[in-house]
Amino acid sequence: MEIPTLLDVYRARKVIQQYVPRIDVQYSGGLSELMGCEMYLKREDQLPLGAFKMRGGLNMLANLPSGERNQGLITASTGNHGQSIANACRIFGAKAFIVVPEGANSLKVAAIRSMGAELLFYGRNFDDARGYAESLAIDKGYRYVHPANEPLLISGVATQTLEIIEDIPDVDAIFVPLGGGSGACGTCVVAKSISPEIKVYAVQSERSPAGFVSWKQGEVRTSTNETFAEGLATGTGYDLPLSLLTALLDDFILVSDDEIRQSICLLIEKAHTLAEGAGAAALAGACKFQSQLKGKKVVVVVSGGNITLEQLEESLKTRI
């Protein structure tokens, strides 16, 4: 696998800007007052699919050889990655097969179906679904799209960080959620290429900490996978993200699921922003680092807003 570069990200933007509106960074007075710093939000929930993953699928399909497109593409997802691949396949005329866990987020499932992808339900969680997708790719000859070990996905989602730094050139710190790791890797590639002084922090649920454990131990490891925040729910680390995060990430923060839920409430109350669990995780991480952020310019990536009513109701119960 090739390591994505800043040049790859600029190339990706040429493709993505044809389909994705530019999302300006937004200053939050309420969160700034609460946190004691200049707090800005990168609201990827405002993209047409309600999540940052849209960028990666477009870049991948635009650059995929026609022979691979014609095979049909299969991937596993808890929702937003599946939306991204389904949407890109619709635009570029490829057949999409998306494997999701039983009980996957109903909003994301409906969105995937509406894009013409064939949905397959398998297993209790993402890891079960991923294993099934990989076996089908071998049996049926589909082009398997790995959720994180895909340089084109990483360079695509990294375009969000170009927009961050263009809007806030003197940003001190960027907090980004981490599930499989494509978003955090893209942030690292761009931020560290432009200014090594920018701190990048990845935030993951302590109930699904495989990325953190892999980063901490310097090798791909598995872990429990029990978080409610499906965008963070993966039970293993991955090779390409691990290599990038080991080289470039400043720190890794684990947060509890209740801290994520409380950050969903904070975003509603202080920033008029409705985020899903993964979308609120970066703010939960910033809250844990509050004492280190005084007087700094901080960007929190709200990676998605596809939250169900049930998830929202459960989060509101934790409001403090």
Side-chain angles (χ1 to χ4, degrees):
M1 291 174 288
E2 294 184 5
I3 301 295
T5 67
L6 182 61
L7 181 58
D8 293 326
V9 181
Y10 276 108
R11 287 172 174 154
R13 180 156 74 173
K14 282 190 148 184
V15 172
I16 292 167
Q17 65 188 4
Q18 300 175 55
Y19 306 97
V20 174
R22 193 186 192 287
I23 305 298
D24 294 338
V25 174
Q26 299 177 11
Y27 173 75
S28 172
L31 288 174
S32 295
E33 182 178 16
L34 176 72
M35 297 290 290
C37 63
E38 285 188 44
M39 179 72 75
Y40 299 83
L41 301 179
K42 185 69 169 80
R43 292 196 52 192
E44 295 290 283
D45 61 295
Q46 295 183 331
L47 291 177
L49 300 185
F52 81 107
K53 293 280 191 179
M54 182 179 185
R55 300 171 182 268
L58 289 167
N59 189 51
M60 182 161 190
L61 266 291
N63 289 283
L64 205 62
S66 59
E68 293 185 41
R69 282 191 209 165
N70 294 339
Q71 291 174 236
L73 278 69
I74 189 167
T75 195
S77 176
T78 58
N80 287 335
H81 169 63
Q83 282 195 79
S84 172
I85 298 303
N87 176 65
C89 284
R90 177 185 61 82
I91 290 172
F92 289 96
K95 180 65 177 175
F97 301 88
I98 312 296
V99 184
V100 299
E102 300 285 351
N105 180 309
S106 59
L107 297 178
K108 297 175 183 179
V109 167
I112 293 168
R113 184 177 286 116
S114 73
M115 294 169 206
E118 184 172 331
L119 271 162
L120 304 167
F121 293 85
Y122 187 89
R124 184 178 66 87
N125 58 28
F126 171 73
D127 302 297
D128 293 341
R130 180 175 56 83
Y132 186 57
E134 290 172 355
S135 67
L136 284 178
I138 294 170
D139 292 343
K140 303 292 186 181
Y142 302 137
R143 202 299 190 176
Y144 176 61
V145 181
H146 194 280
N149 287 337
E150 298 280 2
L152 288 169
L153 289 183
I154 292 174
S155 55
V157 298
T159 57
Q160 68 178 354
T161 309
L162 286 180
E163 296 172 4
I164 289 173
I165 296 175
E166 287 168 352
D167 286 352
I168 315 290
D170 54 346
V171 60
D172 292 302
I174 302 173
F175 287 79
V176 60
L178 187 143
S182 63
C185 286
T187 299
C188 285
V189 167
V190 173
K192 296 303 183 180
S193 296
I194 293 175
S195 174
E197 299 304 312
I198 299 172
K199 302 295 185 183
V200 179
Y201 300 98
V203 185
Q204 190 166 51
S205 170
E206 64 186 22
R207 292 177 62 82
S208 296
F212 169 79
V213 174
S214 298
W215 177 78
K216 196 76 173 174
Q217 299 190 11
E219 61 182 1
V220 171
R221 301 299 298 268
T222 60
S223 75
T224 56
N225 183 13
E226 300 174 347
T227 181
F228 85 97
E230 67 271 6
L232 306 180
T234 181
T236 185
Y238 300 116
D239 293 317
L240 182 54
L242 177 60
S243 65
L244 284 165
L245 296 173
T246 299
L248 301 173
L249 186 68
D250 288 288
D251 210 344
F252 218 126
I253 308 166
L254 290 182
V255 295
S256 71
D257 275 10
D258 274 353
E259 287 170 331
I260 294 172
R261 291 187 177 101
Q262 289 160 12
S263 289
I264 289 173
C265 297
L266 272 179
L267 283 166
I268 293 171
E269 185 175 25
K270 300 293 186 180
H272 318 296
T273 297
L274 183 60
E276 62 185 275
L283 177 59
C287 287
K288 293 193 90 163
F289 268 40
Q290 182 176 359
S291 63
Q292 301 179 36
L293 303 178
K294 298 297 184 184
K296 300 197 179 287
K297 290 189 177 180
V298 179
V299 174
V300 165
V301 176
V302 181
S303 61
N306 296 312
I307 187 171
T308 66
L309 288 175
E310 292 77 14
Q311 290 169 336
L312 178 58
E313 289 169 354
E314 189 65 26
S315 298
L316 291 172
K317 293 176 186 177
T318 69
R319 183 177 180 274
I320 57 175

